[in-house]
Amino acid sequence: SYVLTQPPSVSVAPGKTARITCGGNNIGSKSVHWYQQKPGQAPVLVIYYDSDRPSGIPERFSGSNSGNTATLTISRVEAGDEADYYCQVWDSSSDHPVFGTGTKVTVL
Amino acid sequence: EVQLVESGGGLVQPGRSLRLSCAASGFTFDDYAMHWVRQAPGKGLEWVSGISWNSGSIGYADSVKGRFTISRDNAKNSLYLQMNSLRAEDTALYYCAKTPDTAMVSWGQGTLVTVSS
């Protein structure tokens, strides 16, 4: 089945930019969604269809997708952005969703 | 306001059964496909099962195929997951989520299933 690979952790200083990658075979041909999960809470959709933001999500969150890598970018990082982040695609071959391995973002 | 409230979790012995429910409100339930996603303690998200708006399309992860059954009752705005032959590795927080297409736009708070003797 389709595999999505994320770095286990990313550390970033407040006010800087965090970039979280999601690698998959020709992922650029798929739509990628991103979820934020804070400790003890349910996941929240922060980016859908590669780069769209749901209402209520700050403009600091953006996404891109090309080739074999999709990227979630968090600009002007705040302490409240500290969370686990998961990418997700729909695997057409198995006809079901697939989640990435998850990345823990730590704000220094 | 969209609300998804899971229930039915608990401690169960290996080999036994459990039925999870997800009560939906704040949106037109039968406009959306629904999914179950689980998260083992300290682990990542794992898709478990999904069902289309009219139950015409159903899918399962290989890890639960043949043991779990998803269903929905649109008249009751409810989603279900019948879990049989439970194993220790099924221990997880189980979330229900709604999706208009391929993104899971809303999630419940989850119900914890612990499989242990």
Side-chain angles (χ1 to χ4, degrees):
Chain A
S1 63
Y2 195 75
V3 176
L4 294 173
T5 302
Q6 299 180 234
S9 63
V10 167
S11 298
V12 58
K16 300 299 186 182
T17 298
R19 293 180 179 84
I20 305 159
T21 59
C22 175
N25 185 35
N26 197 26
I27 194 174
S29 67
K30 301 180 182 296
S31 294
V32 180
H33 315 302
W34 290 90
Y35 304 88
Q36 175 193 67
Q37 186 179 33
K38 296 182 179 180
Q41 297 185 21
V44 172
L45 180 69
V46 294
I47 292 288
Y48 63 102
Y49 286 132
D50 297 341
S51 58
D52 290 338
R53 275 178 293 104
S55 60
I57 301 301
E59 292 183 6
R60 301 183 297 102
F61 288 82
S62 62
S64 62
N65 183 21
S66 178
N68 292 317
T69 304
T71 302
L72 173 68
T73 301
I74 311 173
S75 304
R76 302 179 300 283
V77 165
E78 302 174 357
D81 299 330
E82 193 162 275
D84 294 326
Y85 291 83
Y86 296 90
C87 56
Q88 179 244 313
V89 301
W90 192 275
D91 179 17
S92 53
S93 63
S94 59
D95 198 24
H96 68 64
V98 175
F99 288 96
T101 49
T103 298
K104 181 176 180 60
V105 170
T106 300
V107 181
L108 301 171
Chain B
E1 178 194 3
V2 172
Q3 281 204 318
L4 296 169
V5 180
E6 302 91 338
S7 61
L11 175 62
V12 61
Q13 293 179 329
R16 304 298 291 263
S17 298
L18 212 55
R19 189 194 196 207
L20 305 184
S21 299
C22 170
S25 61
F27 65 100
T28 304
F29 184 67
D30 54 13
D31 276 352
Y32 292 87
M34 298 293 295
H35 296 270
W36 288 100
V37 177
R38 70 185 180 185
Q39 187 170 35
K43 302 298 184 182
L45 301 174
E46 178 190 16
W47 176 78
V48 173
S49 181
I51 186 168
S52 63
W53 68 275
N54 63 350
S55 305
S57 178
I58 286 175
Y60 299 97
D62 288 343
S63 56
V64 306
K65 199 172 295 183
R67 300 187 299 122
F68 289 11
T69 302
I70 192 172
S71 62
R72 64 189 295 162
D73 185 336
N74 288 343
K76 294 183 178 179
N77 290 344
S78 293
L79 174 72
Y80 307 101
L81 186 68
Q82 177 66 42
M83 304 186 297
N84 299 332
S85 303
L86 282 161
R87 306 166 179 169
E89 53 264 36
D90 295 320
T91 293
L93 189 59
Y94 284 73
Y95 296 101
C96 66
K98 76 168 197 176
T99 173
D101 40 54
T102 61
M104 299 185 191
V105 298
S106 299
W107 299 62
Q109 286 304 304
T111 186
L112 182 62
V113 173
T114 303
V115 183
S116 174
S117 54

